[in-house]
Amino acid sequence: MTTVTRALLASVVCGALAAGAQAEPYRIGVLTDMSGMNYDLSGKGSEVAARMAVEDFGGTLLGEQIEVIVGDHQNKPDVGSTLARRWIDEQNVVAVVDLPTSSVALAVQEITRQSDTALLISTGGSSELTGASCSPSTAQWTWDTYALANGTGRAMTLEGDKTWFFLTVDYTFGNALEADTTAAVEAAGGTVVGSVTHPRETSDFSSYLLQAQGSGADVIALANASGDTMTALKQAEEFGVTALGQDIAGMLLFLTDVHGVGLDIAKNLTLTTAFYWDMNEETRAWSERFAERMDGKMPTMVHAGVYSAVSNYLKAAEKSGQAKSGTQVMDTMRDMDIDDFFNHNAYLRKDGRVVHDMYLVQVKTPEESKGPWDYYKVLRTIPGDEAFRPIEQSACPLLDR
């Protein structure tokens, strides 16, 4: 074989390898809880929502196929970080989505910051994610602890519940939720008279509830989530907490939590949410499509947020001509209108916060509900600029001061 022939063969091989590399699909990685306490509110539903978004977009991005892959982070920051790094380094993942558990979200945000990969957070709720730990390639899409505190905490205090006691799950999310709610309660003229922390996945809240009852507080605030919230609500009912005159505030309640405990227990609870499936024709149409794939289960705000986040990421990536740089995609998104069934007239701030309306809702009584998943009455819309932390109060170092 001559030198020229070898050179030509090498050129053909290299060209084929390059073509093969270019043909590798862009992948969206849904990093979620597929086996633990957050499964119902995120889990499989988040995967379904991401796949719906990709299908509705047309299945290709910048001429390449889009694939959705799923990983279970087991609510462990080290597991989530390892999965995210492997996806980005080895599987051409251009966006990581969902991220239940704030400690996992914060850990993964460091990986995506270093690799300039888009991070679309729908479940992780600590306001720290857009505060001191903010990243130029992150969008916190659905809710955060500030919005919940400013919605539920402020509303209940202004309505006369002036003294508060917290049952707080002892990790990043719970601590942030208590701190943000304390600030909202005090700003509205209320007082926090005490708090107690508990570990995740607690099965016995009796001692915590006794402390809360003994405080005499107007409100016992549950600064926890999913399984812990449902267990605490059930045991509070057994203790007769509301019958004895104290109110319960579920600071983070999902539609699946209400479904899990039932309206007999959850009735009349006030909560803040980013989405409810039965608000209008648009929300019902999308939710019914979702439910067809989920055995009739209606979406939580997380599921709707995943769909919206992936859809808008794909639009911004297509518009920017750049899928692999999360920072460039986010910069493009900041100049776009974010308007869909989930977000109307929303926008992405420089600190990574997607600002949109939130809703103060009340759980229906069994008599008011017309059937399964008919659980909320919308009390009022909280405009996005009122719901979320003002940009001038953000500790995000990316902001121009």
Side-chain angles (χ1 to χ4, degrees):
M1 185 180 293
T2 67
T3 301
V4 174
T5 303
R6 289 193 188 97
L8 287 171
L9 181 60
S11 176
V12 170
V13 171
C14 289
L17 290 173
Q22 291 173 355
E24 185 175 4
Y26 289 124
R27 294 189 173 94
I28 307 293
V30 180
L31 192 52
T32 189
D33 180 356
M34 296 296 284
S35 58
M37 62 190 297
N38 296 307
Y39 176 78
D40 282 341
L41 65 92
S42 56
K44 178 67 175 178
S46 293
E47 176 190 353
V48 166
R51 293 190 186 281
M52 289 173 66
V54 170
E55 291 167 12
D56 289 349
F57 188 73
T60 62
L61 173 63
L62 299 173
E64 304 294 350
Q65 292 296 312
I66 310 166
E67 289 184 1
V68 174
I69 62 175
V70 184
D72 182 358
H73 60 48
Q74 302 171 38
N75 297 303
K76 298 176 181 177
D78 58 335
V79 174
S81 298
T82 300
L83 273 171
R85 190 180 297 279
R86 183 184 308 142
W87 280 355
I88 294 164
D89 290 347
E90 301 175 9
Q91 296 182 260
N92 203 36
V93 165
V94 294
V96 181
V97 188
D98 196 14
L99 279 298
T101 309
S102 293
S103 55
V104 177
L106 285 162
V108 172
Q109 184 164 245
E110 289 306 306
I111 304 300
T112 55
R113 185 204 313 275
Q114 294 164 16
S115 61
D116 192 20
T117 302
L119 181 64
L120 308 170
I121 302 170
S122 188
T123 314
S126 172
S127 56
E128 176 71 10
L129 287 157
T130 56
S133 297
C134 68
S135 167
S137 63
T138 292
Q140 191 175 21
W141 206 266
T142 304
W143 64 280
D144 64 23
T145 52
Y146 184 98
L148 299 186
N150 200 41
T152 308
R154 183 173 181 274
M156 292 185 70
T157 304
L158 290 175
E159 288 172 6
D161 286 320
K162 296 295 186 181
T163 56
W164 290 62
F165 187 98
F166 285 91
L167 268 64
T168 303
V169 63
D170 193 13
Y171 72 101
T172 305
F173 153 73
N175 297 327
L177 184 52
E178 179 179 336
D180 284 338
T181 307
T182 295
V185 166
E186 291 176 348
T191 304
V192 174
V193 299
S195 67
V196 61
T197 59
H198 67 83
R200 292 190 64 189
E201 301 190 56
T202 296
S203 60
D204 184 1
F205 279 86
S206 57
S207 64
Y208 309 122
L209 287 167
L210 285 171
Q211 290 181 62
Q213 286 182 301
S215 73
D218 297 328
V219 181
I220 300 174
L222 305 179
N224 48 27
S226 56
D228 286 330
T229 301
M230 288 191 284
T231 301
L233 285 171
K234 291 174 182 177
Q235 293 181 12
E237 177 73 10
E238 294 169 5
F239 273 67
V241 170
T242 56
L244 293 173
Q246 289 175 297
D247 290 330
I248 300 287
M251 297 309 301
L252 176 60
L253 272 175
F254 294 93
L255 192 71
T256 46
D257 298 331
V258 175
H259 188 76
V261 300
L263 294 181
D264 284 336
I265 293 176
K267 63 180 182 292
N268 297 322
L269 284 174
T270 301
L271 61 112
T272 303
T273 185
F275 174 82
Y276 179 46
W277 72 270
D278 197 21
M279 291 185 67
N280 54 53
E281 289 185 8
E282 280 187 294
T283 59
R284 284 190 288 273
W286 183 83
S287 298
E288 287 165 4
R289 289 175 54 210
F290 176 91
E292 287 175 1
R293 302 185 182 206
M294 290 290 293
D295 298 323
K297 175 182 171 182
M298 286 298 176
T300 65
M301 64 173 171
V302 162
H303 302 142
V306 166
Y307 178 95
S308 178
V310 173
S311 295
N312 284 279
Y313 163 81
L314 293 172
K315 291 175 186 176
E318 189 79 37
K319 184 175 181 180
S320 68
Q322 172 58 261
K324 303 244 355 170
S325 171
T327 299
Q328 289 187 40
V329 174
M330 296 304 169
D331 284 344
T332 299
M333 195 183 298
R334 288 186 182 94
D335 293 328
M336 289 170 42
D337 290 330
I338 302 174
D339 196 346
D340 53 31
F341 74 90
F342 177 79
N343 288 318
H344 290 291
N345 303 311
Y347 61 94
L348 173 62
R349 296 194 316 204
K350 194 169 182 179
D351 62 354
R353 177 68 260 167
V354 176
V355 177
H356 54 76
D357 292 348
M358 298 287 287
Y359 305 96
L360 189 69
V361 304
Q362 187 176 55
V363 179
K364 292 182 176 182
T365 64
E367 294 74 26
E368 292 172 319
S369 175
K370 297 176 183 177
W373 306 105
D374 177 30
Y375 295 154
Y376 292 167
K377 296 181 291 187
V378 178
L379 302 179
R380 79 178 187 94
T381 298
I382 307 171
D385 289 332
E386 177 186 325
F388 293 99
R389 177 174 52 200
I391 191 71
E392 59 270 18
Q393 295 180 16
S394 175
C396 174
L398 301 174
L399 301 175
D400 298 326
R401 300 296 184 183

